[in-house]
């Protein structure tokens, strides 16, 4: 191993700005076997709260598995009420995902382009885009109701001029789910966009391509994995949306009643059916996270 030269300044003192070689000197014994495993062990002060936190996340799911009516699980999930709620949930979640793709991908592009904006406007834009992530869903539902309700800011002119009423319809379910789930797609796509070499866009522009053409034919294919991951996360979040949906769309069977609202209603009259639907939603959520774990971590790290 070649050691760094011991350079000294004019006063004869060693230049401390030079980094020291982090490798052990030649001949030094490296830990092996049990010694290596012992070096990797976490201190007790870290391990104990980590295990407590893990138990806090895992034990509720274990309680659902223990309480599940396994003997009648298929029968309960095949009931007409649950199938109607499943149909409404899947339909509305797919529509919300499609709208999120249509609006969220350009919005993610706007977020990446805002790096050249003044810091106040850039932070304000990011706050507006991500506020549904921290806003209680019920508050989002009330905000949508005052925006698109019959007496809302936009709902009153829509009702008066076109006779369109949005609350307590399937459209209200889709809008509520889009409001809550679209930030997941936007942040995922933004992370993917930031990982793209911008020199490719410059090369396309030098060949005469417009910015829109370069975005469609160069950038979007490169960020397709991030867009797919964001779309699946958006779908899973829309499928599990409850607060904004029940506030803005209600829970009418066969029309606006989704799986989460079915859990809420069944818990009051048929707890075992509520547990069965909860297991279905839990399986969907875990499956999505297991499928996209690496893509989500890679996107979030950028």
């Amino acid at each position: 191993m070649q050691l760094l030269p011991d350079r000294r300044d004019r006063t004869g003192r060693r230049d401390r700005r030079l980094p020291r070689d982090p490798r052990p000197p030649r001949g030094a014994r490296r830990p092996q076997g049990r010694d290596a495993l012992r070096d990797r062990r976490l201190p007790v002060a870290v391990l104990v709260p980590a295990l407590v936190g893990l138990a806090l996340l895992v034990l509720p799911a274990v309680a659902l598995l223990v309480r599940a009516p396994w003997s009648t699980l298929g029968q309960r999930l095949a009931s007409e009420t649950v199938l109607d709620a499943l149909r409404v949930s899947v339909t509305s979640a797919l529509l919300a995902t499609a709208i999120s793709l249509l609006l969220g991908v350009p919005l993610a592009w706007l977020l990446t382009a805002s790096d050249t904006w003044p810091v106040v406007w850039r932070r304000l834009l990011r706050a507006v885009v991500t506020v549904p992530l921290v806003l209680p869903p019920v508050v989002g539902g009330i905000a949508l109701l005052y925006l698109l309700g019959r007496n809302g800011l936009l709902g009153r002119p829509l009702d008066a001029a076109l006779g369109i009423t949005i609350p307590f319809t399937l459209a209200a379910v889709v809008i509520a789910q889009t409001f809550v789930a679209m930030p997941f797609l936007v942040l995922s796509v933004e992370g993917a966009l930031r990982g793209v070499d911008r020199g490719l866009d410059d090369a396309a522009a030098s060949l005469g391509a417009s910015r829109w053409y370069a975005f469609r034919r160069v950038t979007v294919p490169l960020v397709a994995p991030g867009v797919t991951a964001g779309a699946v996360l958006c779908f899973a979040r829309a499928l599990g949306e409850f607060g904004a949906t029940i506030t803005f769309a209600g829970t009418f069977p066969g029309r606006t009643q989704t799986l989460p609202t079915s859990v809420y209603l069944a818990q009051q009259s048929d707890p075992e059916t509520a547990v069965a639907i909860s297991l279905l939603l839990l399986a969907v959520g875990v499956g999505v996270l297991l499928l996209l774990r690496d893509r989500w971590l890679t996107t979030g790290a950028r």
Side-chain angles (χ1 to χ4, degrees):
M1 180 182 65
Q2 183 179 2
L3 298 178
L4 293 175
D6 188 10
R7 300 180 180 176
R8 300 176 182 275
D9 56 16
R10 295 180 179 178
T11 60
R13 292 178 297 182
R14 188 177 183 274
D15 191 355
R16 297 183 178 181
R17 293 175 299 178
L18 293 174
R20 295 185 177 181
D21 194 336
R23 295 175 295 179
R26 182 178 299 176
R29 179 177 176 273
R30 296 178 179 271
Q32 297 178 356
R34 293 183 179 180
D35 294 337
L37 294 177
R38 188 179 298 110
D39 291 341
R40 296 178 183 177
R41 290 187 304 180
L42 294 175
V44 177
V46 175
L47 183 61
V48 171
L51 293 178
V52 173
L54 182 63
L56 181 63
L57 298 176
V58 172
L59 289 181
V62 173
L64 275 179
L65 294 174
V66 172
R67 185 66 175 79
W70 296 107
S71 60
T72 60
L73 183 64
Q75 179 182 354
R76 294 179 183 278
L77 293 179
S79 64
E80 183 179 356
T81 302
V82 176
L83 290 179
D84 285 342
L86 179 62
R87 176 182 56 81
V88 173
S89 293
V90 172
T91 302
S92 58
L94 287 174
L95 291 173
T97 303
I99 295 174
S100 297
L101 283 169
L102 182 63
L103 304 178
V105 174
L107 185 54
W109 190 25
L110 179 62
L111 277 177
T112 58
S114 66
D115 291 342
T116 58
W117 295 8
V119 63
V120 174
W121 295 108
R122 183 171 69 247
R123 291 180 178 178
L124 181 61
L125 175 63
R126 181 168 294 278
V128 170
V129 171
T130 57
V131 70
L133 296 177
V134 298
L135 191 70
V138 175
V139 177
I142 293 176
L144 291 173
L145 194 61
Y146 280 103
L147 174 67
L148 298 172
R150 286 191 173 182
N151 295 320
L153 185 63
L154 297 180
R156 178 179 295 179
L158 285 175
D159 188 18
L162 304 175
I164 297 177
T165 303
I166 296 179
F168 309 108
T169 62
L170 180 62
V173 178
V174 174
I175 293 173
Q177 292 177 346
T178 304
F179 175 79
V180 174
M182 188 168 63
F184 288 89
L185 184 139
V186 172
L187 294 180
S188 180
V189 176
E190 184 203 3
L193 285 172
R194 293 189 181 278
V196 173
D197 185 5
R198 296 189 177 182
L200 298 176
D201 290 338
D202 296 337
S206 66
L207 296 175
S210 64
R211 295 189 63 186
W212 172 240
Y213 184 86
F215 177 75
R216 288 188 298 112
R217 302 301 297 272
V218 177
T219 304
V220 171
L222 290 174
V223 300
V227 174
T228 302
V232 176
L233 286 171
C234 178
F235 173 80
R237 180 63 185 90
L239 194 67
E241 166 51 31
F242 171 76
T245 301
I246 198 172
T247 306
F248 184 49
T251 176
F252 298 100
R255 189 171 66 178
T256 64
Q257 183 173 318
T258 61
L259 288 176
T261 56
S262 297
V263 172
Y264 175 75
L265 295 176
Q267 181 61 28
Q268 304 175 22
S269 58
D270 191 358
E272 291 189 345
T273 300
V275 173
I277 302 173
S278 299
L279 284 177
L280 177 60
L281 291 171
L282 178 64
V284 172
V286 172
V288 168
L289 292 178
L290 289 177
L291 180 65
L292 297 178
R293 180 183 61 87
D294 292 336
R295 169 59 56 186
W296 174 248
L297 291 178
T298 301
T299 302
R302 288 175 178 172

